[in-house]
Amino acid sequence: MDAQPVEALITVLLDRGADIGARDDAAMDLYATDDEQARQALLTVAIDPETPEMVQASAGESLGQIVARTGRALSEEERTSLAPAAGSEYEVVQPG
């Protein structure tokens, strides 16, 4: 994925005023990149209690898919900080 689309997706994902569907789509689309800023943005919304649950869940799933592809797991601290919806989806992809 090119840097420019990744940056645009990150911007939408982190924009609390953006349409929830657009934020959710951005969270789902970011699974395809290994960009560290994308990983951090996904983690940010996955732990933020103000993030809509649907977006948290998609961020958790994308984080799990990134881990499955790269082998770079979340730290114990990151994993335990995930909101319940994000943690559930992360665990589906990364059991244990």
Side-chain angles (χ1 to χ4, degrees), residues 8-22:
L9 289 170
I10 291 170
T11 298
V12 171
L13 178 63
L14 297 176
D15 182 355
R16 291 179 181 217
D19 175 76
I20 189 172

Side-chain angles (χ1 to χ4, degrees), residues 52-83:
E53 192 172 288
M54 179 172 83
V55 179
Q56 289 174 341
S58 293
E61 181 178 354
S62 287
L63 285 166
Q65 291 172 343
I66 291 169
V67 170
R69 186 179 61 253
T70 65
R72 185 171 166 238
L74 296 180
S75 70
E76 180 68 21
E77 180 181 348
E78 290 170 330
R79 198 169 51 71
T80 59
S81 296
L82 295 175

